[in-house]
Amino acid sequence: MYGISRKIYLVLFVLTFISLAVLFFKSDGTLFDASSQPIVSYEDGWVYNENVSLVYNYLPKDIKTGSGISFFTKNQFLDVYINEKLIYSFLPDTNGKWKMAGSQWHFIDLSSEYGGEKITLHFYGNDKKSLNLPNILIGNKEELFRRVIVEEFLPFVLSCVLVSFGIIFCAGWMVYRKKIGVTINILYIGLFTIAAGICSGILTQVPQLFIGHTYDLATILNFIILLVQYPIMRCVVSAYVSSASHNKKRIDVIVTSFLVVTFLVVGSFIFYGIDSNILGQIAQAISLLSGLIIFIIMLLAYRRVNGKRKSFILIHLICLPVMGIFLTIDFVSYYYLGATDGARCSRVGASIYMGIIAVETLKQFMRVLSMGQDSEKMKNIAYCDALTCMGNRTAFMKSIHEISRDDFENYGIAMFDLNNLKVFNDVHGHSAGDYYLIISSEIIQDIFGEKGKICRIGGDEFCAVLKDYSLEEFSKGAFEMQDRLSQLKGPYTKEEMSIAYGYQIFDKKLDNDLSSTMERADSSMYRIKEKLKKDLKRYPVIVE
């Protein structure tokens, strides 16, 4: 039933997701009137004034209400004028730290009254290179916005998937680190994956479109690039550098220095207001240096190891240069070829790379989990009686040792011994003896199990640790136990089945601990046993 419900839930989830995607991509004529106002390029006719990073043009005369222009800028601030009227401004924060504008999509409203008027774009910022006019589109403003979202939808979803995988890794480490000894490398990999996903998502520009805060997100991007270096380097050192290696101390110093530099840079930005443009350059330099060190560490490790581990390191040694190539392609296309997404290639590469790491890590995790399950099984075997499925003597002694001395007076010990078990075994065979043991254990468990733990501590002996159970209550339970045995009908019941019993509550005047109480209960049980051998079938519990 659960499996069917789960499948129905998954189907509904997929259908809901598909419906949302269809609604998202399907253009509604009332909102996105692309047929009457198509999206067209608006790059011709611009006049440059490079001395002041200013360009101007004349708008089409048939501008309609709801129209707009859109374009993407990198590290540039912007003012937009219609004739001499300022209609749009993208300026730095007044606190003086935001000297780098970051990347930003701009959507400029145009009303019908602007038809044929002069439009001026004034770019300024830290970029000292000659002005490169961005790719400008004109049309319905909402359609322009939707166009960007559609283009970046899949990259943004992929970024969210990376973040989700990272969260799963971190959560897995938190849950299983003590249970089965999962290494901290799982946490490091999870943090790196989360960081990669967040950086990738920011570079799609989708968060900026919905929540704004372009300056904040640009700085967060650089902070994450800085902060992620330490966990990923620590992960590599932990996985590939032997604690006995003579290079271990040197590598630890290098990794620690990365952490110190990161705190110094972040502190300088927060407290001394260093240029955010410099922050970005430092983050890029440190990440490149970190990648080089990681590559060298893996190369040294590759020369030392053999077998499957050598093959896995080889995969890293291949993937790292490929990732470097992807990052270079993205850097060139973003800064020199006009691309609006700074992680289009590296996002795919990172996803494949993290997928490889995830598969290998999951294999290791499953091996550790399997070992943990085997250990748990062995533990259960060590504490379990195979015939009755009760705890054994080891489990019983463990249970009484776990009770606090201050709580001893709330506990009593009950002893049980099966009479005539040898007769059952000799006359009817061991299967009959096993039947006698099993049926008796079930009756004892059924009557006394709610009050404590019952264990089989010997061949025909059972013992129970009972909490808050009086002698009178035990006497009633013992009477019921014998009555149930006497009512059994079967092939072996001509030989009488009966159970000797004894029960004593901890007495601080008589007992040093619960083991002493157990000895007194055992003595009581043997007195009952002697009387049962004289054909006295039921006796009250002896109270001393």
Side-chain angles (χ1 to χ4, degrees):
M1 186 68 182
Y2 172 73
I4 296 174
S5 301
R6 184 175 58 183
K7 290 178 181 178
I8 294 174
Y9 173 80
L10 289 174
V11 170
L12 291 174
F13 181 85
V14 172
L15 290 175
T16 303
F17 183 83
I18 293 174
S19 301
L20 289 172
V22 170
L23 291 173
F24 185 84
F25 284 106
K26 185 177 180 181
S27 175
D28 189 322
T30 59
L31 291 178
F32 309 120
D33 193 3
S35 58
S36 61
Q37 200 171 2
I39 303 298
V40 296
S41 177
Y42 186 46
E43 295 182 350
D44 296 331
W46 291 92
V47 179
Y48 288 74
N49 186 342
E50 294 188 6
N51 292 330
V52 292
S53 299
L54 183 147
V55 295
Y56 67 89
N57 201 344
Y58 290 91
L59 292 169
K61 293 183 179 180
D62 58 343
I63 293 293
K64 298 179 181 179
T65 300
S67 296
I69 61 172
S70 69
F71 51 90
F72 184 76
T73 60
K74 303 165 189 174
N75 299 334
Q76 290 177 313
F77 298 108
L78 172 69
D79 284 332
V80 180
Y81 298 87
I82 296 293
N83 294 328
E84 302 299 326
K85 179 184 177 183
L86 179 67
I87 64 168
Y88 179 87
S89 183
F90 177 62
L91 295 174
D93 192 273
T94 55
N95 62 18
K97 293 181 181 179
W98 306 111
K99 298 179 182 179
M100 181 181 69
S103 301
Q104 174 77 21
W105 273 100
H106 305 276
F107 298 91
I108 316 300
D109 286 310
L110 299 176
S111 64
S112 57
E113 62 187 47
Y114 294 156
E117 300 294 334
K118 179 182 178 181
I119 181 171
T120 302
L121 309 180
H122 183 192
F123 300 96
Y124 51 97
N126 285 342
D127 194 351
K128 304 300 182 183
K129 297 177 293 184
S130 60
L131 175 64
N132 291 319
L133 188 68
N135 180 27
I136 303 176
L137 298 175
I138 188 169
N140 182 277
K141 184 185 175 184
E142 292 178 335
E143 179 69 16
L144 289 169
F145 183 86
R146 191 190 73 90
R147 182 190 183 105
V148 174
I149 298 298
V150 169
E151 289 178 353
E152 297 298 335
F153 179 75
L154 289 179
F156 184 73
V157 169
L158 189 57
S159 303
C160 293
V161 170
L162 284 173
V163 173
S164 300
F165 272 116
I167 293 173
I168 291 172
F169 272 83
C170 293
W173 176 81
M174 293 179 67
V175 172
Y176 291 104
R177 70 186 189 279
K178 293 182 179 179
K179 293 182 179 179
I180 56 176
V182 176
T183 67
I184 198 172
N185 284 356
I186 300 293
L187 175 64
Y188 290 147
I189 292 173
L191 292 174
F192 175 74
T193 309
I194 291 173
I198 293 175
C199 291
S200 172
I202 292 175
L203 289 171
T204 64
Q205 307 301 319
V206 172
Q208 291 88 324
L209 291 175
F210 286 98
I211 66 175
H213 299 285
T214 302
Y215 313 123
D216 299 328
L217 290 173
T219 302
I220 288 172
L221 176 65
N222 291 322
F223 277 177
I224 292 175
I225 293 173
L226 279 171
L227 294 173
V228 78
Q229 305 306 318
Y230 178 77
I232 193 62
M233 290 187 70
R234 181 56 63 189
C235 176
V236 171
V237 171
S238 175
Y240 300 110
V241 179
S242 171
S243 58
S245 173
H246 64 280
N247 292 321
K248 180 69 164 57
K249 291 184 178 180
R250 296 177 184 176
I251 294 174
D252 283 338
V253 170
I254 293 173
V255 174
T256 304
S257 67
F258 268 80
L259 185 64
V260 173
V261 170
T262 298
F263 284 126
L264 289 175
V265 173
V266 173
S268 299
F269 179 83
I270 295 174
F271 297 107
Y272 297 102
I274 67 170
D275 191 338
S276 53
N277 190 30
I278 296 176
L279 176 67
Q281 294 172 358
I282 293 174
Q284 292 174 4
I286 289 180
S287 62
L288 288 174
L289 183 59
S290 172
L292 179 61
I293 293 174
I294 289 172
F295 183 78
I296 293 173
I297 291 173
M298 289 186 173
L299 187 61
L300 293 173
Y302 179 76
R303 297 173 61 183
R304 292 195 308 270
V305 300
N306 294 303
K308 292 182 179 180
R309 188 171 175 81
K310 194 179 187 75
S311 301
F312 186 59
I313 296 176
L314 181 61
I315 293 174
H316 284 288
L317 291 174
I318 295 173
C319 288
L320 283 172
V322 172
M323 280 299 302
I325 294 172
F326 284 159
L327 289 169
T328 302
I329 293 172
D330 281 335
F331 181 84
V332 173
S333 62
Y334 184 74
Y335 286 102
Y336 297 99
L337 301 180
T340 59
D341 188 345
R344 192 168 294 276
C345 293
S346 54
R347 182 181 298 111
V348 176
S351 300
I352 296 173
Y353 189 21
M354 293 311 302
I356 294 172
I357 294 176
V359 169
E360 182 63 23
T361 304
L362 286 174
K363 287 181 179 178
Q364 296 177 2
F365 177 77
M366 293 306 295
R367 284 196 291 268
V368 173
L369 185 61
S370 177
M371 292 172 61
Q373 291 174 340
D374 291 342
S375 175
E376 189 66 26
K377 289 178 182 178
M378 294 299 294
K379 181 180 177 181
N380 290 336
I381 292 173
Y383 288 103
C384 182
D385 175 63
L387 181 64
T388 63
C389 295
M390 285 181 165
N392 56 18
R393 175 177 285 274
T394 304
F396 174 75
M397 298 307 297
K398 182 175 181 291
S399 65
I400 63 173
H401 288 151
E402 288 176 348
I403 298 173
S404 170
R405 175 171 289 275
D406 296 335
D407 205 24
F408 279 174
E409 293 184 3
N410 297 321
Y411 284 88
I413 303 293
M415 298 293 294
F416 304 92
D417 186 276
L418 275 59
N419 295 311
N420 299 325
L421 178 61
K422 188 176 185 302
V423 175
F424 273 74
N425 285 326
D426 293 343
V427 175
H428 301 290
H430 286 281
S431 60
D434 290 345
Y435 166 79
Y436 189 4
L437 283 166
I438 292 171
I439 198 68
S440 298
S441 69
E442 290 177 349
I443 292 173
I444 295 171
Q445 178 67 37
D446 189 39
I447 295 173
F448 302 103
E450 291 185 358
K451 282 294 183 177
K453 184 176 182 64
I454 303 172
C455 300
R456 182 187 177 195
I457 62 172
D460 58 357
E461 291 184 328
F462 296 85
C463 190
V465 186
L466 306 177
K467 185 176 182 180
D468 298 328
Y469 204 53
S470 67
L471 290 172
E472 291 75 17
E473 288 175 309
F474 182 81
S475 180
K476 293 178 181 178
F479 183 90
E480 181 183 354
M481 175 182 67
Q482 300 287 40
D483 188 57
R484 285 201 195 181
L485 282 171
S486 66
Q487 294 179 16
L488 289 175
K489 302 295 181 182
Y492 312 123
T493 54
K494 62 181 181 180
E495 280 79 20
E496 182 179 334
M497 291 188 292
S498 64
I499 301 174
Y501 47 82
Y503 181 62
Q504 294 293 335
I505 297 172
F506 177 82
D507 187 338
K508 62 182 179 180
K509 295 179 180 179
L510 302 174
D511 303 324
N512 293 323
D513 51 28
L514 289 176
S515 296
S516 301
T517 310
M518 179 179 175
E519 292 176 2
R520 292 196 297 114
D522 194 53
S523 298
S524 297
M525 183 265 294
Y526 273 105
R527 282 191 287 273
I528 292 290
K529 190 176 184 69
E530 290 300 320
K531 292 182 179 181
L532 287 172
K533 286 181 178 180
K534 297 176 182 178
D535 295 329
L536 297 176
K537 296 183 178 180
R538 297 185 184 93
Y539 293 89
V541 176
I542 299 173
V543 182
E544 298 179 349

